[in-house]
Amino acid sequence: MKVILPLLAPLLFFLVAYAAQPESMAPQNPQAQAAYEEIRATFDMVPTYMKEFPQEAISGAWQEIRDIQLNPTTALTPKTKELIGVAVAAQIPCTYCVYFHKRAAKFNGATPQEINYAIAVAADTRKWATFWEGSPIEMPKFKMDVDNMIKFLRKKKPAEMSELKPSPLVGDVNAAHKDMEKTVGIVPNFIKSYAAKGVAGAWNEHKMLSMNPKSPLSPATIDLISYAVSAQTSCERCVYIYSEFAKLHGATEEQMRETVAMAAITRHWSTFLNGLQQPEKDFQREVDQIFQRLEDRKTQLNKQISSRK
């Protein structure tokens, strides 16, 4: 033992010295370095959570954010993508992601009303996902009801679709069933099985959130938000009904693919951020710095455009 200890001493010294090196001295993946440079060029900084992400994967993770979320030429508008992000984040839940996507949504022109509406749609979607998973109808019957609703709505003229009024609200289960028949052509079996005392309120909420032409969000945007939430709750029934309604309201295949991609990106970073547990105030401070710099750039660009006129 006396012979071994002197031999181990230099090795222990090396290991301690290596561990004590500052972060900047740590070996760096060339692809990670390129990603950091691009992130810094975009945000004027590399946020802590991106620095902490494994270097082996940060290049690909950043590339996906850049090409989907931050890309202004996607099928979805930047505002719609961020409304999807905040809606998905709110029901995960991930307070980090909610904070980021709210700031991003505002930066891209979303109003507080639109943001709150998107979150409410997510809540309604999650409620029905819970019920349908807990009290499942056979999938073929569920699909048949959805298909019959879509057929009925396709026959309606645009003027008829706009006749929906915010009042009066139905007061009981029988009135709710009559209103469903008038609105979507049938009383779906997947709603008939809901608790009788709760049907009227549940229908009133869903109808005025998701089928209201006076809504601050377009029907397609509402359906895509529900589709995004459904995609990462593993509710097969929800995915079917909201994808069909999204197509009814004009959503394209590419918009639907990007919707699911945004849900996936949000879920991906929520998992890492929740596990990383960066102090929330530090995270929020960095996000505020990012969007303040982006706002400054936007202001400067607008001034330059105005000066050329």
Side-chain angles (χ1 to χ4, degrees):
M1 184 61 106
K2 289 181 181 179
V3 175
I4 294 173
L5 283 175
L7 294 174
L8 287 176
L11 177 60
L12 290 171
F13 177 80
F14 172 79
L15 291 174
V16 170
Y18 182 82
Q21 289 184 92
E23 186 180 350
S24 60
M25 292 177 64
Q28 196 166 75
N29 182 314
Q31 291 181 330
Q33 179 61 35
Y36 295 148
E37 289 174 3
E38 203 170 294
I39 294 166
R40 190 174 290 106
T42 304
F43 294 147
D44 282 342
M45 65 181 296
V46 180
T48 299
Y49 71 93
M50 287 187 168
K51 290 178 186 174
E52 295 292 337
F53 200 77
Q55 289 188 9
E56 294 81 356
I58 188 60
S59 181
W62 165 248
Q63 182 181 12
E64 187 177 21
I65 291 174
R66 182 196 67 198
D67 294 350
I68 294 288
Q69 185 176 350
L70 303 181
N71 187 347
T73 66
T74 52
L76 294 176
T77 66
K79 182 173 85 170
T80 299
K81 286 183 285 188
E82 296 305 335
L83 289 173
I84 288 169
V86 74
V88 170
Q91 55 78 58
I92 288 175
C94 174
T95 56
Y96 301 99
C97 305
V98 168
Y99 192 84
F100 183 95
H101 289 292
K102 271 191 172 183
R103 287 300 306 266
K106 289 177 184 176
F107 176 77
N108 285 295
T111 65
Q113 183 188 17
E114 288 173 324
I115 292 170
N116 288 343
Y117 207 94
I119 295 169
V121 168
D124 185 61
T125 304
R126 192 70 196 235
K127 176 178 71 178
W128 286 107
T130 302
F131 177 69
W132 290 333
E133 287 298 291
S135 307
I137 288 191
E138 292 178 9
M139 193 62 187
K141 289 184 179 179
F142 187 94
K143 283 186 174 183
M144 185 170 64
D145 277 352
V146 172
D147 293 345
N148 286 333
M149 291 162 63
I150 297 293
K151 285 178 186 175
F152 176 82
L153 291 170
R154 284 194 189 282
K155 292 177 183 177
K156 280 198 169 188
K157 297 176 182 177
E160 292 178 300
M161 295 293 285
S162 65
E163 287 177 359
L164 185 62
K165 305 291 182 184
S167 62
L169 301 177
V170 298
D172 58 34
V173 61
N174 292 326
H177 286 174
K178 288 180 182 177
D179 195 47
M180 287 176 211
E181 218 165 343
K182 178 183 174 183
T183 306
V184 296
I186 63 170
V187 181
N189 288 299
F190 55 76
I191 295 182
K192 279 182 185 176
S193 56
Y194 200 76
K197 296 292 185 184
V199 168
W203 171 245
N204 283 330
E205 179 190 15
H206 179 74
K207 179 181 175 183
M208 301 320 299
L209 272 177
S210 298
M211 307 177 72
N212 187 351
K214 309 296 184 185
S215 149
L217 301 178
S218 71
T221 298
I222 291 169
D223 295 328
L224 289 173
I225 288 169
S226 291
Y227 181 48
V229 171
S230 302
Q232 50 84 65
T233 59
S234 301
C235 174
E236 183 183 4
R237 294 164 184 80
C238 307
V239 168
Y240 186 75
I241 188 170
Y242 294 119
S243 63
E244 290 302 304
F245 268 86
K247 286 184 275 189
L248 172 71
H249 290 127
T252 66
E253 289 297 325
E254 185 58 27
Q255 286 175 326
M256 294 178 70
R257 282 192 286 267
E258 289 176 7
T259 292
V260 177
M262 270 303 300
I265 290 169
T266 304
R267 192 69 194 235
H268 167 278
W269 284 104
S270 75
T271 302
F272 186 73
L273 283 163
N274 281 336
L276 182 64
Q277 294 187 313
Q278 180 184 0
E280 285 195 33
K281 287 185 178 179
D282 293 347
F283 177 85
Q284 291 174 4
R285 185 176 63 253
E286 290 185 342
V287 170
D288 290 344
Q289 289 173 0
I290 287 170
F291 283 100
Q292 184 57 59
R293 288 165 182 170
L294 291 175
E295 287 287 358
D296 291 343
R297 285 186 196 172
K298 186 191 287 186
T299 300
Q300 291 173 1
L301 182 61
N302 289 337
K303 286 180 179 178
Q304 290 173 1
I305 292 172
S306 298
S307 65
R308 292 171 186 169
K309 291 181 180 179

